[in-house]
Amino acid sequence: ERETLSALLERVAEDAGEAPALLYGGETWSYADLLARSRRAASALAGLGIGRGDKVALWLPNVPAWLALYLALGRLGAVAVAVAVNTRFRALEVADILSRSGAKALAMWPGFKDIDFAGLLAEIGEEPLAGLERGLVYEEGEAPVPERVAGRPATAVRALFEAPPLAEDRATPADPCNIFTTSGTTSKPKFVLHGQGPVTRHARDCVSAFGWDRPGAVSYQATPVCGVFGFSTMMATLAAGAPNVLSPLFTPGEAADAVRRHRVTHFMGTDDMYAGMLALREDLEPFPSLRLCGYALFNPTLEDFETKTLARGVPLIGLYGMSEVGALMAVQKIDAPLEDRLAGGGYPVAPEAVVRVRNVETGELCPPGVSGEVEMRCPSLFLRYEGNPEATAAAMTEDGFLRTGDAGRMRADGSFVYEARMGDTLRLAGFLTAPSEIEAHVETHPSVAGCQVVGIATPRGPRAFAFVRPADDSYDETALLSWCRETMANYKVPVRAAAIDAFPVTHSANGTKIQKAELRRMAEAMEADAASFQSASAL
């Protein structure tokens, strides 16, 4: 039922053998190569003092060495701490991850993308790095490797692959193996700890649910493997014994070329990735090999994204996932009616997974079609928030279900639909309302290129507040609100439809997301200014 990472790899390598596992530039690693390199790296890491329960931070982009090191740590029963390689990452964020995780070693690529890794580490200072004993330095070609990293001895990653192999699997399925960081906003990110058994089980469940077991399956690794979206895609591809095309940095042109060259069938990405790739091709259907394209709507500024993308032959399908359960926990059916197929959520990939929706005010379970908070229990459930038992307890129900913090509704057939984060949902006139419902309606107006809705408190109770990206210079807020009053239920009509040039976004390992919290702050400030002006006018 549950197996270690090494057991999964060995089983797949026995069947796939010399079949390609990783395609990277002009380099190809077979499954036999991946197994051999991970065994050698495990031996070398053990010689450096890395053992069961130790944590090693992987501060690397999508390169074959990331997966080889991850699997090597799994063989030792050690834990990989995923650190995003992001030009927007600052020393404070890196320091927090390294210090709180207690990472014993740090793998990094100092020459990647002109990021000043050494400068960031120097800025961190000594105290947050107190537990760090060694640097593992990745470089490509014959590039030299520094002797020390952050004052610690450094070892070349390429040298790890030259050690005698370690055939012994020192781990058990119950051992932890991954730490992902949540995208903290008002507080420090939580450390989501996963175990080997749940990780390998989730990968195997995804194979049939997404069709990775069909002949000719090939994945393109679009999102970073340091995030749960990219990681889940990579592990499912591995479990299928299929090739995975890697690139250290997503660029639309390179991705579009790779999809055509390698006849990629599976692509899991964000809306802006697909839009960027299609914009570079003039063909009506430029990517005929694609069979299934899971996606997340992170960029609502893309007008008519789904309609335009589907019209060009890209087989989009809705998903559901989160750091605590894996990014591919549920998927819609590819042959479902379009509205159902494109919705977030779907059918759990694990047969025994259970999803339910609860009314957070009454505590009662909601019938199909009624919105509430989504709760779930599944084999891919995380172990805990490392170092934060209070948060772990708060996230779980007494009967072992995860409180996802997401609003959604059940369908009669047992599948579910994701609507919004609970913090973003609106309680209007007693009705739980998803902002996306109002946004979608407002965006049908010809003067609107994009819309984001948040909730604010007003003297008349909670109301919707809309931010609108105008389609042209003739945008008229008063006219739009008048149209809303004519075409929507009164309680859904926004109090404002304020024009904005661009929505504030945050960048993470799983994609670019709209900052709802910042929009809410802006809306509250505008409403407060308006109230002050009215008070002054009354005087």
Side-chain angles (χ1 to χ4, degrees):
E1 178 68 15
R2 297 204 168 189
E3 61 186 346
T4 64
L5 291 164
S6 292
L8 173 65
L9 176 60
E10 287 165 0
R11 181 169 51 79
V12 172
E14 183 177 357
D15 293 335
E18 297 302 322
L22 303 173
L23 305 174
Y24 178 75
E27 188 178 2
T28 299
W29 287 23
S30 70
Y31 274 95
D33 293 332
L34 181 59
L35 175 60
R37 284 184 170 95
S38 67
R39 284 175 168 175
R40 291 179 181 278
S43 173
L45 290 170
L48 295 175
I50 303 298
R52 194 170 183 180
D54 287 333
K55 299 180 177 68
V56 175
L58 300 183
W59 198 11
L60 293 169
N62 293 2
V63 293
W66 197 104
L67 182 55
L69 289 174
Y70 171 73
L71 294 168
L73 294 171
R75 185 169 291 275
L76 298 174
V79 180
V81 181
V83 184
V85 178
N86 192 326
T87 54
R88 300 170 184 85
F89 236 28
R90 295 295 175 258
L92 186 64
E93 296 164 296
V94 179
D96 176 61
I97 293 173
L98 294 178
S99 61
R100 284 201 291 134
S101 70
K104 195 172 181 179
L106 169 66
M108 56 185 285
W109 182 359
F112 177 65
K113 203 182 173 184
D114 298 322
I115 298 175
D116 186 9
F117 289 90
L120 286 171
L121 290 174
E123 189 179 339
I124 286 173
E126 184 59 34
E127 186 176 347
L129 302 178
L132 190 66
E133 297 180 2
R134 179 167 296 273
L136 305 172
V137 181
Y138 174 84
E139 289 287 3
E140 298 195 337
E142 299 300 321
V145 171
E147 294 184 359
R148 302 187 74 79
V149 168
R152 275 71 172 172
T155 299
V157 169
R158 66 172 75 104
L160 301 179
F161 301 139
E162 298 171 358
L166 175 68
E168 175 192 2
D169 185 0
R170 298 180 179 176
T172 72
D175 284 334
C177 58
N178 287 72
I179 286 179
F180 296 105
T181 57
T182 59
S183 52
T185 52
T186 58
S187 60
K188 289 183 177 180
K190 294 191 287 290
F191 289 171
V192 185
L193 184 70
H194 282 271
Q196 295 208 17
V199 165
T200 55
R201 171 62 195 276
H202 185 51
R204 298 198 314 271
D205 285 335
C206 289
V207 172
S208 57
F210 285 81
W212 265 295
D213 52 353
R214 289 176 55 196
V218 179
S219 296
Y220 185 84
Q221 194 65 53
T223 52
V225 295
C226 59
V228 69
F229 200 9
F231 175 79
S232 295
T233 302
M234 179 181 64
M235 291 302 297
T237 307
L238 183 152
N244 204 339
V245 182
L246 300 180
S247 176
L249 179 67
F250 176 85
T251 61
E254 182 177 339
D257 291 343
V259 168
R260 290 172 67 91
R261 184 169 66 255
H262 297 292
R263 298 189 57 79
V264 169
T265 60
H266 289 68
F267 193 109
M268 306 291 159
T270 57
D271 43 10
D272 52 347
M273 289 178 172
Y274 293 111
M277 291 164 60
L278 289 170
L280 297 176
R281 308 291 308 190
E282 295 181 355
D283 329 36
L284 177 60
E285 295 188 8
F287 309 119
S289 64
L290 290 174
R291 300 174 187 167
L292 187 149
C293 292
Y295 78 109
L297 280 172
F298 285 165
N299 191 350
T301 61
L302 296 171
E303 189 175 1
D304 295 329
F305 162 75
E306 289 149 321
T307 302
K308 292 177 179 178
T309 305
L310 289 166
R312 299 189 66 187
V314 177
L316 295 177
I317 192 166
L319 311 168
Y320 180 84
M322 60 190 304
S323 296
E324 289 82 353
V325 295
L328 308 178
M329 185 271 173
V331 61
Q332 303 288 3
K333 291 184 176 179
I334 197 73
D335 57 353
L338 206 54
E339 183 178 353
D340 292 341
R341 169 183 152 186
L342 295 178
Y347 299 80
V349 299
E352 65 269 53
V354 179
V355 179
R356 65 193 187 190
V357 173
R358 186 179 300 278
N359 184 317
V360 294
E361 295 179 355
T362 66
E364 297 178 353
L365 295 181
C366 299
V370 177
S371 298
E373 182 179 13
V374 177
E375 299 177 347
M376 56 184 57
R377 184 175 62 201
C378 55
S380 58
L381 187 65
F382 76 131
L383 299 178
R384 60 182 177 272
Y385 294 119
E386 183 72 347
N388 196 339
E390 295 82 8
T392 305
M396 302 302 298
T397 66
E398 291 183 359
D399 55 347
F401 279 71
L402 172 71
R403 298 184 175 99
T404 65
D406 289 333
R409 64 184 185 276
M410 296 300 299
R411 293 179 179 142
D413 64 359
S415 65
F416 71 102
V417 175
Y418 165 81
E419 296 175 332
R421 290 293 295 167
M422 285 296 292
D424 297 334
T425 55
L426 314 177
R427 177 67 68 175
L428 304 175
F431 297 98
L432 188 65
T433 306
S436 58
E437 180 183 346
I438 302 174
E439 293 161 0
H441 183 78
V442 172
E443 286 173 351
T444 64
H445 194 276
S447 71
V448 177
C451 176
Q452 286 290 294
V453 171
V454 295
I456 61 168
T458 75
R460 292 174 292 168
R463 295 291 301 277
F465 190 111
F467 287 93
V468 168
R469 194 167 58 85
D472 53 49
D473 294 337
S474 64
Y475 175 70
D476 185 326
E477 180 181 358
T478 301
L480 178 65
L481 290 176
S482 177
W483 173 80
C484 287
R485 283 189 286 271
E486 294 173 0
T487 58
M488 302 173 69
N490 188 57
Y491 71 90
K492 296 179 184 178
V493 175
V495 292
R496 287 285 310 275
I500 190 170
D501 292 332
F503 302 126
V505 298
T506 185
H507 302 274
S508 75
N510 293 312
T512 301
K513 301 180 182 180
I514 300 294
Q515 288 185 340
K516 287 280 192 177
E518 176 61 16
L519 288 176
R520 194 174 297 110
R521 185 197 65 76
M522 293 166 58
E524 290 169 348
M526 290 182 185
E527 193 69 7
D529 289 344
S532 298
F533 178 78
Q534 291 173 358
S535 298
S537 299
L539 297 176

